[in-house]
Amino acid sequence: MELPAFQYHRPASAEDAVALLKQYGDDADLVAGGTDLLPNYKNRLNNKKHVVSLAGIASLRELSPTRIGALTRLVEMERSEVLASTLPILQETAASISSPPLREHGTVGGNLMLDTRCYFFNQAPMWRRSKHFCLKAEGDQCLVVPSSNDHCYATYSGELAAAFLVLGASLDLLGPDGARSVLVSDFFEDEGIVRFRDRRPGEIVVGVTIPDSAQQLAAGYSKLRIRDSIDFPSLGVAVAVKTDTANNIEHLHVATTAMTSRPESLDSEVQSFVGQRASPAVAAEIGDAVHKASKAYRNVPLDPRYRRKMAGVFTRRLLERLDSAFGDTRG
Amino acid sequence: MGTYQNKRAFREVANDLPDPDGDRRQDDSKFNLIGKRTPLIDARDKVTGQAIYTDDIQLPGMLICKIFRAPWAHARIDKIDTSKAEALPGVHAVMIGTDAPIKFGVLPISQDETALAVDKVRHQGEGVFAVAAESEALALEAFDLVDIEVTQLKPFLNKKDSVRDIRDDEEKIHEHCRYDNNIHKRVEQEFGDPSGAFENAAYTAHASFEFQGVTHAFTEPIAAIAHWTPDERLVIWTSQQVPHYTHLALSKVLELPMHRIRVIKPVVGGGFGGKSDPFPHEMVVSWLAMKTGRPVKILFDREEVFFSNHGRHPTSTHVGMAVSDEGKITALDVDALIDGGAFGSFGVVTAYYNGVLSHGPYRIPSFKYRGTRVYSNRPVSGAMRGHGSVNSRLCSEVALDMICAEAGWDPVEVRLKNTLPEFTTLVNGFRITSNGIRECIETVARKSNWSDKHGKLPPGRGIGIGCGFYISGSALQIHKSRLPQSTVHLKIDMDGGVTIHTGASDIGQGSDTMAAQVVAEVLGLPMERMRVYAVDTDMSPIDLGSYSSRVTFMNGLAAKRAAEQIRDMLIEAAVSISGYAKESFELRDSWVYNRHWPDASVRYMDALEEALADRGALIASGSYTAPPMGLGYKGAGAGLSPTYSFTSYICELEVDAETGFITPCSIWAAHDCGRVLNPIAVEGQIEGSIHMGLGQVLCEEMDYLGPALVNGNLLDYRVPTPTQTPHMDVTLVESIDPEGPFGAKECGEGGLAPILPAVANAVYDAVGVRVKRLPMTPDVVLAAIERKARADRKQEAAESA
Ligand SMILES: Cc1cc2nc3c(=O)[nH]c(=O)nc-3n(C[C@H](O)[C@H](O)[C@H](O)COP(=O)(O)OP(=O)(O)OC[C@H]3O[C@@H](n4cnc5c(N)ncnc54)[C@H](O)[C@@H]3O)c2cc1C
Ligand code: SF4
């Protein structure tokens, strides 16, 4: 299958990219590494006439523990020594995305802005025609939740977002009206077509800012998928925790991805554990709370009930791994 | 191995086996190339990107063909109007089913496919019309200009529905089905006294499994180019395992005599059975080329490869086993309900193989089999590596494991108690010749430290064993014919290079290298003098194709016999140069060497010059035809083979009882392939088979949502990656076959089946559950573990009450 025809633009600055997006409006898509967009184009998934590439914009490539440019490639994060010593969770998350050849091209911005996925959508045109096109493909009904004619449940499976959530990071955006910054936790919308809460036309992600304080947390990421490589997550869990010298929980953040149409922060579900003393029993309770609070739909691999259960197991195991107070059998 | 005490006695039973190799057979000290690690002759071309696959071929004026694939599973075509599409500038022809309605199929008994759907669509993804245009984009544009009206029919998506009589609101998938249902083939067999054996058994076990379909997932997508030459011959380049059957089918469908068709097989990027039928698209591009007078190319998208399928059949299999109190198997009862999808393909053979390939590697005195292959409105299933043997093998090996667990026996010892000897005949008439199964089992048991591990590993870690056997070529031909099953031509001219013309399809498995190695060995020449020209039907003699693990055995013997004729010509030449007796000469190290008087040896090139004088190029033709064998009952030919390979695997793995993840840690493999011609190639086949079998047991499945395949791509159809591939320790057991080329037999398929039970039995050893559905994805495994925990708790509660 050949790619559909489109006009390719390669601006040299972020401002020029924004201007092009503004000029072509709904007729344009942005592309970074292309590892998500181009397969979707091959399947004729809502492809556009203009494609604006970020590849020529050098200013988007910075990489430090407090700021990561949108065009940073996943392989650069994975191999970064600075991140290894400051925010190993980012290295761990990047290294679990897709496969080595794809990480050579895939970028941080592309991973954050990944389109949502669904068995009924990410298919060849003939396949989708056979089922009647669903909401996300300009049909009038969802095929996963047939009662829905106005809500798409496609799954968000970007992984870095979960890690950025537990680190309290924010996205730096540049648009026709200038620059702004939004907390990752405020950015996404739990709807497979809308996807973002307040994304303004022509806006691009220029980078991610991570607070200094994040480096004080013990943070890790764990991914559920059938094969250890290539597969998108059927669940991703990020946990960041800090206990004091008396093993009392000072900070606790949990986020999941690949369960709903956005990366989900479970902070409000686990806040009640802050102040409690870390122990295996508490780790198990936190896991249970995450399990109970999780939702998932049947549109990516593995049964939703199983995925929810694993959200709990993975959370508990991460806590045990990150802080010995959770794993110490003597309590 | 390699002892033949039983051989004389066996010969009396089996009548005079031909023994072409005489006493040279066992003396391997003489071998120059056989048994040496020999890189495949096309490896460099492939790794440097120089190999020419079908899609690499460009011809002047070539058009692109796209096939419109049905979005419906079962539908009557009421109307197709292609006129608007034909009028689109750049579109040269549009073809519909009625343009080439003659039916074809790989088996003469199931000719039920057509180039494109005629009147009726039978599965989602079936071709409805085809466009030849100047670009892919134009062909796709033309799709929208064809006016089609259909009446949708109730699809049959469940095997059980295909067995019962159709209802008033239903229509049979194929008219030709004998009764008012969708049964394609039923097989019933019984030998000995199975019901008596079950009644008197000390132990019985029943193992049932649900098998999802799996597919080959070869690397190179299906492709073909057809060209109607100015002198009105059809030339087709096609990615094929069985060019000869394509040749026959093209002749039939296009109503062209065979001599006006030329089939060329370029380099093929894998097949595994998925390129071993004559295919609709081959008919389509040929018809379009004839119609337009221009070369026409088709290259499948990956989802089209999935629709083409021909993979392993989804099957519900149930196996009962009866065992005496001494641990001897007394009977096996196999029941298989097999979903064939929309067409016949190799399905009649599949229906037999699901039963008959359970007769070894153990002595089964009583045997019963009921196999039913049905049609359904799904992409067709067909032959896939280990064809027909894999699913039933898992069930019978698990049943044996269940009995061992119940009786407290060691699964290795019980298997050793039951193995077939060499040179024996089975109840169904199979003749077993060389057989290394004991050595296979003993080897893997020793290397894995089985006796220290089985039943003794910590919770969550387990070890299991599985064995198997497989045909080394089908003794019976698909098309009844007096032609040999394989023929090889050789030519040597004054340049001293050896040209090998073979009809055997190298599909990546290395058959070209095998032929070159065999010829080079016989002629005492280095590999660099060999050049193989494989499968161009204008030039190569017929070989029936790369299926049923027949090529090394049959084509190897044909090559060897051809080379022996050339050998004799060169020796004659040396005799006339030197005056010494021919008995004293042999060919080695590029010499016609005189064993007794080395000074009388003649250089290869000198002998060649002498041999060529007044005659010109030396040519020879060697062939192979399987000897008559087997009994006379209906279906007795299914599974008959001139010899069989034997295999035993042990797998050690971990099961995470909280997530259900299975992690294979180590696999010890032993495979008896007779003489190892090329260890690199054999080890590669064994490792590849293990990897493919792991896919079926752990993560691969054709996942359907109603009629629609959900995962027709290589992201969602999960072939295991290197990260999931455990350490493999491969031992090659050489039983030295009395009939095979230098004693060789198959290694391409038999190595797949035993890995499934090795894993399943190890899972039981690790966590005490029998997972009954494949693939054993973590959610399925966890559900089984939780079920067992609930049952255990219930029992404990009952006991304490
Ligand atoms: C086989 C396969 C397996 C994969 N497995 C995984 C996986 O396991 N986990 C996972 O998370 N992903 C996976 N992916 C998806 C993808 O490869 C990665 O997420 C990658 O990081 C995407 O980055 P990219 O630069 O290639 O994105 P692109 O394809 O270039 O872009 C993706 C989307 O983001 C938008 N975009 C890109 N950059 C910006 C920006 N700066 N501002 C605003 N919008 C932007 C694009 O318009 C597009 O909609 C997989 C992809 C494939 C093909
Ligand atoms: S969740 Fe529903 S609407 Fe969204 S992509 Fe899937 S089928 Fe379409």
Side-chain angles (χ1 to χ4, degrees), chain B residues 181-216:
Chain B
N181 55 35
N182 289 299
I183 293 176
H184 172 219
K185 176 74 189 171
R186 237 189 230 286
V187 176
E188 293 196 10
Q189 291 187 340
E190 190 167 328
F191 301 97
D193 174 21
S195 47
F198 273 92
E199 255 167 53
N200 299 320
Y203 297 94
T204 59
H206 297 270
S208 304
F209 278 84
E210 270 308 313
F211 296 92
Q212 310 306 307
V214 287
T215 199
H216 323 80

Short mmCIF file of all heavy atoms in Angstrom, two decimals, chain B residues 181-216:
data_model
loop_
_atom_site.label_atom_id
_atom_site.label_comp_id
_atom_site.label_asym_id
_atom_site.label_seq_id
_atom_site.Cartn_x
_atom_site.Cartn_y
_atom_site.Cartn_z
N ASN B 181 -25.60 -29.85 4.67
CA ASN B 181 -24.82 -29.16 5.68
C ASN B 181 -23.54 -28.65 5.02
O ASN B 181 -23.40 -28.71 3.80
CB ASN B 181 -24.50 -30.10 6.84
CG ASN B 181 -23.82 -31.36 6.36
OD1 ASN B 181 -23.04 -31.34 5.40
ND2 ASN B 181 -24.12 -32.48 7.00
N ASN B 182 -22.62 -28.17 5.83
CA ASN B 182 -21.39 -27.59 5.27
C ASN B 182 -20.17 -28.46 5.57
O ASN B 182 -19.06 -27.95 5.71
CB ASN B 182 -21.19 -26.18 5.80
CG ASN B 182 -22.20 -25.22 5.22
OD1 ASN B 182 -22.24 -25.03 4.00
ND2 ASN B 182 -23.03 -24.63 6.07
N ILE B 183 -20.38 -29.74 5.66
CA ILE B 183 -19.25 -30.63 5.92
C ILE B 183 -18.47 -30.85 4.63
O ILE B 183 -19.04 -31.18 3.59
CB ILE B 183 -19.74 -31.98 6.50
CG1 ILE B 183 -20.33 -31.72 7.89
CG2 ILE B 183 -18.59 -32.98 6.57
CD1 ILE B 183 -20.94 -32.94 8.53
N HIS B 184 -17.18 -30.65 4.71
CA HIS B 184 -16.33 -30.82 3.54
C HIS B 184 -15.81 -32.26 3.47
O HIS B 184 -15.86 -32.89 2.44
CB HIS B 184 -15.16 -29.82 3.63
CG HIS B 184 -14.10 -30.01 2.58
ND1 HIS B 184 -12.77 -29.86 2.84
CD2 HIS B 184 -14.19 -30.34 1.28
CE1 HIS B 184 -12.09 -30.10 1.73
NE2 HIS B 184 -12.91 -30.38 0.77
N LYS B 185 -15.32 -32.76 4.60
CA LYS B 185 -14.74 -34.11 4.57
C LYS B 185 -14.86 -34.74 5.95
O LYS B 185 -14.57 -34.11 6.97
CB LYS B 185 -13.25 -34.01 4.20
CG LYS B 185 -12.48 -35.31 4.22
CD LYS B 185 -12.82 -36.22 3.05
CE LYS B 185 -12.22 -37.59 3.21
NZ LYS B 185 -12.72 -38.53 2.20
N ARG B 186 -15.31 -35.97 5.95
CA ARG B 186 -15.37 -36.74 7.19
C ARG B 186 -14.44 -37.93 7.06
O ARG B 186 -14.43 -38.59 6.01
CB ARG B 186 -16.78 -37.26 7.38
CG ARG B 186 -17.44 -36.85 8.66
CD ARG B 186 -18.73 -37.62 8.79
NE ARG B 186 -19.88 -36.76 9.09
CZ ARG B 186 -20.11 -36.20 10.27
NH1 ARG B 186 -19.28 -36.38 11.27
NH2 ARG B 186 -21.18 -35.47 10.47
N VAL B 187 -13.68 -38.22 8.09
CA VAL B 187 -12.81 -39.38 8.07
C VAL B 187 -13.09 -40.20 9.33
O VAL B 187 -13.16 -39.64 10.42
CB VAL B 187 -11.32 -38.96 8.07
CG1 VAL B 187 -10.41 -40.19 8.15
CG2 VAL B 187 -10.98 -38.14 6.84
N GLU B 188 -13.30 -41.50 9.16
CA GLU B 188 -13.43 -42.36 10.34
C GLU B 188 -12.51 -43.54 10.16
O GLU B 188 -12.51 -44.17 9.10
CB GLU B 188 -14.88 -42.83 10.49
CG GLU B 188 -15.80 -41.67 10.81
CD GLU B 188 -17.16 -42.09 11.36
OE1 GLU B 188 -17.33 -43.28 11.66
OE2 GLU B 188 -18.02 -41.21 11.45
N GLN B 189 -11.74 -43.81 11.17
CA GLN B 189 -10.81 -44.94 11.09
C GLN B 189 -10.79 -45.68 12.42
O GLN B 189 -10.94 -45.06 13.47
CB GLN B 189 -9.38 -44.44 10.79
CG GLN B 189 -9.22 -43.87 9.40
CD GLN B 189 -7.78 -43.55 9.07
OE1 GLN B 189 -6.95 -43.39 9.96
NE2 GLN B 189 -7.47 -43.45 7.79
N GLU B 190 -10.60 -46.97 12.33
CA GLU B 190 -10.48 -47.74 13.56
C GLU B 190 -9.54 -48.91 13.31
O GLU B 190 -9.66 -49.59 12.28
CB GLU B 190 -11.86 -48.24 14.01
CG GLU B 190 -11.82 -48.83 15.40
CD GLU B 190 -13.21 -49.05 16.00
OE1 GLU B 190 -14.13 -48.28 15.70
OE2 GLU B 190 -13.33 -50.01 16.78
N PHE B 191 -8.62 -49.11 14.18
CA PHE B 191 -7.70 -50.25 14.10
C PHE B 191 -7.64 -50.91 15.47
O PHE B 191 -7.69 -50.22 16.49
CB PHE B 191 -6.30 -49.79 13.70
CG PHE B 191 -6.26 -49.07 12.37
CD1 PHE B 191 -6.27 -47.68 12.32
CD2 PHE B 191 -6.23 -49.78 11.17
CE1 PHE B 191 -6.26 -47.01 11.11
CE2 PHE B 191 -6.21 -49.12 9.95
CZ PHE B 191 -6.22 -47.72 9.92
N GLY B 192 -7.47 -52.24 15.48
CA GLY B 192 -7.39 -52.94 16.75
C GLY B 192 -8.73 -52.93 17.45
O GLY B 192 -9.78 -52.93 16.81
N ASP B 193 -8.70 -52.83 18.77
CA ASP B 193 -9.94 -52.90 19.55
C ASP B 193 -9.95 -51.75 20.56
O ASP B 193 -9.74 -51.96 21.75
CB ASP B 193 -9.99 -54.26 20.27
CG ASP B 193 -11.18 -54.35 21.21
OD1 ASP B 193 -12.16 -53.58 21.02
OD2 ASP B 193 -11.13 -55.18 22.14
N PRO B 194 -10.21 -50.53 20.07
CA PRO B 194 -10.13 -49.40 21.00
C PRO B 194 -11.12 -49.50 22.16
O PRO B 194 -10.76 -49.22 23.30
CB PRO B 194 -10.40 -48.18 20.13
CG PRO B 194 -10.85 -48.68 18.81
CD PRO B 194 -10.44 -50.10 18.69
N SER B 195 -12.36 -49.91 21.89
CA SER B 195 -13.30 -49.88 23.02
C SER B 195 -12.93 -50.91 24.06
O SER B 195 -13.02 -50.64 25.27
CB SER B 195 -14.75 -50.03 22.54
OG SER B 195 -14.85 -51.09 21.63
N GLY B 196 -12.46 -52.07 23.62
CA GLY B 196 -11.96 -53.07 24.58
C GLY B 196 -10.81 -52.51 25.38
O GLY B 196 -10.73 -52.68 26.61
N ALA B 197 -9.91 -51.82 24.69
CA ALA B 197 -8.72 -51.28 25.37
C ALA B 197 -9.12 -50.25 26.42
O ALA B 197 -8.56 -50.23 27.51
CB ALA B 197 -7.77 -50.66 24.34
N PHE B 198 -10.10 -49.41 26.10
CA PHE B 198 -10.52 -48.42 27.10
C PHE B 198 -11.19 -49.09 28.28
O PHE B 198 -11.01 -48.69 29.42
CB PHE B 198 -11.43 -47.35 26.45
CG PHE B 198 -10.64 -46.22 25.84
CD1 PHE B 198 -10.25 -46.25 24.51
CD2 PHE B 198 -10.24 -45.14 26.62
CE1 PHE B 198 -9.51 -45.24 23.95
CE2 PHE B 198 -9.49 -44.11 26.07
CZ PHE B 198 -9.12 -44.15 24.73
N GLU B 199 -11.97 -50.12 28.00
CA GLU B 199 -12.64 -50.83 29.09
C GLU B 199 -11.64 -51.46 30.06
O GLU B 199 -11.82 -51.42 31.27
CB GLU B 199 -13.52 -51.95 28.52
CG GLU B 199 -15.00 -51.63 28.56
CD GLU B 199 -15.79 -52.60 27.70
OE1 GLU B 199 -15.62 -53.82 27.90
OE2 GLU B 199 -16.54 -52.12 26.82
N ASN B 200 -10.60 -52.04 29.49
CA ASN B 200 -9.65 -52.78 30.33
C ASN B 200 -8.48 -51.95 30.82
O ASN B 200 -7.57 -52.47 31.44
CB ASN B 200 -9.11 -53.99 29.54
CG ASN B 200 -10.24 -54.92 29.16
OD1 ASN B 200 -11.15 -55.14 29.96
ND2 ASN B 200 -10.21 -55.43 27.95
N ALA B 201 -8.49 -50.66 30.51
CA ALA B 201 -7.31 -49.85 30.84
C ALA B 201 -7.17 -49.64 32.34
O ALA B 201 -8.16 -49.52 33.06
CB ALA B 201 -7.43 -48.49 30.16
N ALA B 202 -5.93 -49.62 32.80
CA ALA B 202 -5.69 -49.26 34.20
C ALA B 202 -5.87 -47.76 34.38
O ALA B 202 -6.34 -47.30 35.42
CB ALA B 202 -4.27 -49.68 34.60
N TYR B 203 -5.48 -47.00 33.38
CA TYR B 203 -5.61 -45.54 33.44
C TYR B 203 -6.16 -45.03 32.12
O TYR B 203 -5.79 -45.53 31.05
CB TYR B 203 -4.25 -44.88 33.67
CG TYR B 203 -3.63 -45.26 34.98
CD1 TYR B 203 -2.73 -46.33 35.05
CD2 TYR B 203 -3.94 -44.56 36.15
CE1 TYR B 203 -2.16 -46.69 36.25
CE2 TYR B 203 -3.37 -44.93 37.36
CZ TYR B 203 -2.48 -45.99 37.42
OH TYR B 203 -1.93 -46.34 38.60
N THR B 204 -7.02 -44.04 32.20
CA THR B 204 -7.43 -43.35 30.98
C THR B 204 -7.36 -41.85 31.24
O THR B 204 -7.46 -41.41 32.39
CB THR B 204 -8.88 -43.68 30.57
OG1 THR B 204 -9.73 -43.31 31.65
CG2 THR B 204 -9.06 -45.15 30.24
N ALA B 205 -7.18 -41.11 30.18
CA ALA B 205 -7.19 -39.65 30.31
C ALA B 205 -7.81 -39.07 29.07
O ALA B 205 -7.77 -39.67 27.99
CB ALA B 205 -5.78 -39.11 30.49
N HIS B 206 -8.41 -37.90 29.23
CA HIS B 206 -9.03 -37.21 28.10
C HIS B 206 -8.54 -35.78 28.07
O HIS B 206 -8.66 -35.07 29.06
CB HIS B 206 -10.56 -37.25 28.22
CG HIS B 206 -11.08 -38.66 28.17
ND1 HIS B 206 -11.44 -39.26 27.00
CD2 HIS B 206 -11.24 -39.58 29.15
CE1 HIS B 206 -11.81 -40.50 27.26
NE2 HIS B 206 -11.69 -40.74 28.56
N ALA B 207 -7.97 -35.40 26.97
CA ALA B 207 -7.48 -34.02 26.85
C ALA B 207 -8.21 -33.33 25.71
O ALA B 207 -8.26 -33.85 24.60
CB ALA B 207 -5.98 -34.03 26.57
N SER B 208 -8.80 -32.19 26.02
CA SER B 208 -9.52 -31.42 24.99
C SER B 208 -8.91 -30.04 24.88
O SER B 208 -8.61 -29.42 25.90
CB SER B 208 -10.98 -31.25 25.38
OG SER B 208 -11.56 -32.50 25.60
N PHE B 209 -8.75 -29.57 23.69
CA PHE B 209 -8.21 -28.23 23.48
C PHE B 209 -9.00 -27.49 22.42
O PHE B 209 -9.50 -28.09 21.47
CB PHE B 209 -6.75 -28.29 23.01
CG PHE B 209 -5.76 -28.46 24.12
CD1 PHE B 209 -5.46 -29.73 24.62
CD2 PHE B 209 -5.13 -27.36 24.69
CE1 PHE B 209 -4.55 -29.90 25.64
CE2 PHE B 209 -4.21 -27.52 25.72
CZ PHE B 209 -3.92 -28.79 26.20
N GLU B 210 -9.08 -26.18 22.60
CA GLU B 210 -9.64 -25.30 21.58
C GLU B 210 -8.47 -24.60 20.91
O GLU B 210 -7.72 -23.86 21.56
CB GLU B 210 -10.51 -24.22 22.24
CG GLU B 210 -11.97 -24.59 22.40
CD GLU B 210 -12.62 -25.08 21.13
OE1 GLU B 210 -12.45 -24.44 20.08
OE2 GLU B 210 -13.29 -26.13 21.19
N PHE B 211 -8.31 -24.83 19.63
CA PHE B 211 -7.21 -24.21 18.90
C PHE B 211 -7.74 -23.08 18.03
O PHE B 211 -8.61 -23.30 17.19
CB PHE B 211 -6.53 -25.23 18.00
CG PHE B 211 -5.88 -26.35 18.75
CD1 PHE B 211 -6.57 -27.52 19.03
CD2 PHE B 211 -4.57 -26.23 19.18
CE1 PHE B 211 -5.96 -28.56 19.72
CE2 PHE B 211 -3.96 -27.27 19.88
CZ PHE B 211 -4.66 -28.43 20.15
N GLN B 212 -7.21 -21.91 18.20
CA GLN B 212 -7.53 -20.83 17.26
C GLN B 212 -6.68 -21.03 16.01
O GLN B 212 -5.66 -21.71 16.05
CB GLN B 212 -7.20 -19.46 17.89
CG GLN B 212 -7.76 -19.27 19.28
CD GLN B 212 -9.25 -19.51 19.35
OE1 GLN B 212 -10.00 -18.92 18.58
NE2 GLN B 212 -9.68 -20.39 20.24
N GLY B 213 -7.10 -20.43 14.93
CA GLY B 213 -6.29 -20.52 13.72
C GLY B 213 -5.01 -19.72 13.89
O GLY B 213 -4.97 -18.72 14.61
N VAL B 214 -3.94 -20.22 13.29
CA VAL B 214 -2.70 -19.43 13.23
C VAL B 214 -2.25 -19.40 11.77
O VAL B 214 -2.64 -20.25 10.98
CB VAL B 214 -1.57 -20.00 14.12
CG1 VAL B 214 -1.88 -19.75 15.58
CG2 VAL B 214 -1.33 -21.48 13.87
N THR B 215 -1.46 -18.41 11.45
CA THR B 215 -1.06 -18.25 10.07
C THR B 215 0.46 -18.17 9.96
O THR B 215 1.15 -18.01 10.96
CB THR B 215 -1.78 -17.05 9.42
OG1 THR B 215 -1.72 -17.19 8.00
CG2 THR B 215 -1.14 -15.74 9.83
N HIS B 216 0.96 -18.27 8.73
CA HIS B 216 2.40 -18.45 8.54
C HIS B 216 3.23 -17.22 8.84
O HIS B 216 4.35 -17.32 9.31
CB HIS B 216 2.68 -18.88 7.11
CG HIS B 216 1.64 -19.81 6.56
ND1 HIS B 216 0.42 -19.37 6.09
CD2 HIS B 216 1.61 -21.15 6.45
CE1 HIS B 216 -0.31 -20.41 5.70
NE2 HIS B 216 0.38 -21.50 5.91
#
